Amino acid sequence: MTDNDENHLIAERRAKLQKLRERGVAFPNDFRRTALAGRLLEEHADASAEVLEGARLKVAVAGRMRAKRIMGKASFINLEDVSGTIQVFLQQATLGEVYEDFRTWDVGDIVAAEGSLFRTRTGELSVRAAGLRLLTKSLRPLPDKWHGVADTELRYRQRYVDLIVNEHSRKVFATRSKIVRQLREMLDARDFLEVETPMLQAIPGGAAARPFKTHHNALDLDMYLRIAPELYLKRLTVGGLERVYEINRNFRNEGVSTQHNPEFTMLELYQAYGDYHDIMQIVEDMFQGIADKLHGSRLIDYQGREYNLSRPFARLTIEQILCASIVDLDGARLRDVAYLRGVCDQMKVPFKSGDGAGKLQIELFERSGEATLIQPTFAYAYPAEVSPLSRSNDADPFLTDRFELFIGGREYANGFSELNDAEDQARRFRQQVERKDAGDEEAMYYDADYIRALEYGMPPAGGLGVGIDRLVMFFTNSASIRDVLLFPHLRPET
RNA sequence: GGGACGGUAGCUCAGCUGGUAGAGCAAGGCCCUUUUAAGGCUUUGGUCCUGGGUUCGAGUCCCAGCCGUCCCA
């Protein structure tokens, strides 16, 4: 990407830059603007041409030159800054030599203009330039002014170009920021403490996933990028931080798809003296709060389908969903391993020999149940076998007090009443280790320090994880996770 | 991992059953003092993703690979 993609367009611009260098400071940084384009358009939306002419409002604006229309001794340019785009009117009569220089400037250059506001014949608010400066010479031509960047690969690899050219893209990332801010404001208002826990972990815990492995040289210690912050956040509840949350990156060494990026952003929170019912309400509040803030409505369109985020969301148990989504399923034999294996075979759902009834249920649920959960639905009562960190249900120890939120067949949140029984947790870890020894790479490690923490006593609590990227996809109507990640993972350029 | 589709000028895209590589925008030159996808005239610009193969001849057909998009597991 250095010299081999040079072309005559770039060569011409380099020659222009060389001339600028010869004449002095080519990249000046002494211009200060007094106004933003978008603000000016807002503030003077109602000002008539006569009022503006009388007021003689002096402004200094700067931005990227996005359009250039030369008509002999007068020209118009569009300057775009972070807030919007304003037109600037240039005349040879007032600018003199600068006007002749300007003729050689290119679309894409960073330009500053000083002058007074006025309205053109067609009524567009513009700056009549009394002064004009080139602040940064752009050496590479921008993509087609009309079509923008259509090549998805270029949009992802050169996000800076995508952001220059595609307003929609800028808007998506602004919305992402708003969503995260909304979540923080909501949690801060409820006395949650935002914390940061290790990303480099000696024992990767808190989720069933393959980790990225790395090495600490000074300690000569293999370490892992975290797959979840869960066990550290729960240690904090042991320490008396009764409401904590973290919004940060997790890393999972798995496939890449429209739904998955190897590093992704997760919100996790833990609330002492609460259970999974309380957490479900928090989730409803989050989705409603974001919908209200962004759209002023709880009816959200995502990829051509309308979703109603009004509370309460539906609540169905895993077993209920299985019975509703698989025809002729015998609801009385849902914990019968032999029977479930038969169903799996019938539906061509693969399973492992060590899988118990709980795991088989979830395999079937993922195949048949998830896709049926269109409007927001909490699927709850997950089998303990697949929920090694969740509290067992008091009445039915086959189950845990755990839920996941589904919208449009897609998982958005995972929450549960936390397992704070150290001896039960130790037993669950040992079961995980057995699975790992049997070849399950996603099974968890035994984390002795975490057990020790629980042995000091962790208050009863509820916890939650929400995938921020998917949340942003939903609220920005984005089809691919790459559309909501500034720099999505791609193979290196060759 | 399997399948479908795509990769041609800086960008957006055409290019038919194999026969000299095209347009618009951008860029260079000329004209133009209220345009806004400004306009008019004109010129330049190509590793047709890469490597093999078939053929008198390959952007086009075949094989392998690279990169990407989507779908499935």
Side-chain angles (χ1 to χ4, degrees):
Chain A
M1 281 304 294
T2 50
D3 291 335
N4 54 356
D5 65 343
E6 293 278 310
N7 58 50
H8 73 283
L9 296 172
I10 294 175
E12 279 158 10
R13 291 181 177 216
R14 284 198 192 282
K16 290 174 181 175
L17 173 59
Q18 184 53 36
K19 280 189 181 162
L20 288 173
R21 291 191 196 282
E22 287 161 8
R23 286 166 48 175
V25 178
F27 292 87
N29 190 357
D30 59 336
F31 175 82
R32 294 296 174 262
R33 60 185 175 184
T34 63
L36 290 174
R39 296 274 172 74
L40 289 174
L41 295 178
E42 282 167 27
E43 285 167 14
H44 304 286
D46 301 324
S48 69
E50 294 72 25
V51 166
L52 288 170
E53 213 62 50
R56 300 188 180 208
L57 293 164
K58 299 285 186 200
V59 298
V61 295
R64 193 177 296 274
M65 185 161 72
R66 289 298 307 279
K68 184 187 179 197
R69 297 179 289 278
I70 296 184
M71 296 157 301
K73 297 184 177 63
S75 297
F76 288 95
I77 60 175
N78 294 343
L79 287 190
E80 181 168 53
D81 66 24
V82 69
S83 69
T85 304
I86 193 161
Q87 180 171 262
V88 181
F89 181 53
L90 319 172
Q91 290 170 296
Q92 185 187 47
T94 40
L95 294 168
E97 201 177 318
V98 172
Y99 188 84
E100 296 311 313
D101 290 342
F102 154 78
R103 285 174 177 276
T104 68
W105 298 356
D106 294 288
V107 169
D109 289 349
I110 309 287
V111 169
E114 294 175 273
S116 51
L117 287 177
F118 76 109
R119 270 188 203 287
T120 63
R121 275 182 202 163
T122 57
E124 180 165 348
L125 186 76
S126 306
V127 177
R128 181 180 281 114
L132 194 70
R133 293 180 70 189
L134 176 55
L135 299 183
T136 304
K137 183 68 203 165
S138 164
L139 294 176
R140 289 176 180 270
L142 289 177
D144 192 288
K145 67 179 175 187
W146 190 240
H147 299 97
V149 199
D151 181 359
T152 49
E153 186 176 355
L154 198 154
R155 285 187 52 225
Y156 297 150
R157 282 199 200 280
Q158 301 184 41
R159 181 67 85 184
Y160 36 89
V161 175
D162 178 46
L163 290 170
I164 291 171
V165 173
N166 293 331
E167 187 184 1
H168 175 74
S169 205
R170 291 197 294 271
K171 203 172 165 199
V172 164
F173 292 104
T175 301
R176 179 175 179 125
S177 173
K178 272 186 204 162
I179 288 170
V180 172
R181 195 181 322 139
Q182 165 70 15
L183 291 171
R184 285 202 165 100
E185 281 172 6
M186 174 189 157
L187 293 172
D188 292 347
R190 295 176 187 213
D191 293 324
F192 279 83
L193 188 69
E194 183 173 10
V195 298
E196 293 172 88
T197 62
M199 299 227 180
L200 277 177
Q201 302 181 349
I203 300 172
R210 284 197 230 178
F212 284 94
K213 196 174 180 178
T214 184
H215 189 78
H216 190 297
N217 290 340
L219 297 180
D220 189 22
L221 177 68
D222 283 339
M223 298 196 81
Y224 303 87
L225 299 183
R226 77 177 188 193
I227 54 177
E230 174 157 354
L231 300 184
Y232 284 94
L233 290 171
K234 289 200 281 199
R235 283 174 171 97
L236 296 179
T237 67
V238 171
L241 306 185
E242 294 177 354
R243 295 185 175 196
V244 293
Y245 74 97
E246 177 164 8
I247 297 175
N248 225 319
R249 219 68 62 83
N250 290 347
F251 305 84
R252 296 186 184 176
N253 206 341
E254 293 163 0
V256 178
S257 76
T258 49
Q259 316 292 320
H260 300 89
N261 196 65
E263 53 179 303
F264 62 100
T265 302
M266 185 93 145
L267 160 67
E268 281 202 18
L269 67 82
Y270 294 87
Q271 176 174 349
Y273 310 106
D275 68 5
Y276 72 130
H277 294 292
D278 300 310
I279 300 298
M280 282 190 258
Q281 285 191 25
I282 289 178
V283 172
E284 288 172 334
D285 288 346
M286 282 179 173
F287 276 76
Q288 281 195 359
I290 295 168
D292 290 350
K293 189 101 167 185
L294 294 180
H295 296 92
S297 164
R298 291 170 183 179
L299 297 176
I300 303 296
D301 178 82
Y302 181 70
Q303 302 291 299
R305 202 163 197 166
E306 190 172 73
Y307 297 93
N308 187 343
L309 299 184
S310 299
R311 74 160 13 132
F313 297 170
R315 286 159 166 77
L316 296 168
T317 68
I318 294 292
E319 293 187 356
Q320 284 172 334
I321 295 164
L322 282 174
C323 289
S325 60
I326 301 175
V327 284
D328 297 334
L329 191 71
D330 184 349
R333 301 176 69 187
L334 288 180
R335 298 179 187 180
D336 177 337
V337 171
Y339 173 71
L340 290 173
R341 285 181 173 180
V343 178
C344 283
D345 285 336
Q346 217 168 3
M347 298 178 62
K348 295 190 170 121
V349 174
F351 60 88
K352 296 191 185 99
S353 58
D355 291 349
K359 176 78 163 125
L360 294 172
Q361 277 190 11
I362 290 303
E363 295 289 348
L364 290 169
F365 171 72
E366 287 177 356
R367 168 64 66 91
S368 302
E370 287 186 359
T372 67
L373 306 178
I374 304 304
Q375 291 301 321
T377 303
F378 290 117
Y380 72 100
Y382 275 69
E385 185 181 353
V386 296
S387 313
L389 304 172
S390 305
R391 184 180 190 281
S392 296
N393 183 269
D394 290 335
D396 183 352
F398 178 83
L399 302 174
T400 57
D401 293 336
R402 175 187 172 194
F403 71 88
E404 290 190 345
L405 171 65
F406 289 87
I407 304 174
R410 195 175 284 179
E411 180 202 334
Y412 283 86
N414 175 24
F416 38 88
S417 298
E418 300 302 333
L419 175 54
N420 62 339
D421 175 340
E423 292 176 353
D424 190 1
Q425 183 68 73
R427 191 158 47 243
R428 307 264 200 113
F429 273 156
R430 282 194 293 270
Q431 286 166 359
Q432 289 290 310
V433 171
E434 280 172 28
R435 285 180 156 275
K436 189 169 272 306
D437 291 343
D440 183 351
E441 293 186 66
E442 294 188 349
M444 294 179 183
Y445 293 81
Y446 190 100
D447 189 332
D449 176 71
Y450 180 65
I451 297 297
R452 180 169 60 190
L454 292 188
E455 285 168 351
Y456 278 96
M458 171 179 159
L464 173 69
V466 179
I468 298 297
D469 310 288
R470 285 191 187 177
L471 189 70
V472 175
M473 285 170 67
F474 180 74
F475 281 107
T476 58
N477 197 9
S478 300
S480 170
I481 195 171
R482 293 185 176 122
D483 293 324
V484 302
L485 296 170
L486 281 167
F487 299 100
H489 171 79
L490 295 175
R491 289 175 196 276
E493 285 181 272
T494 46

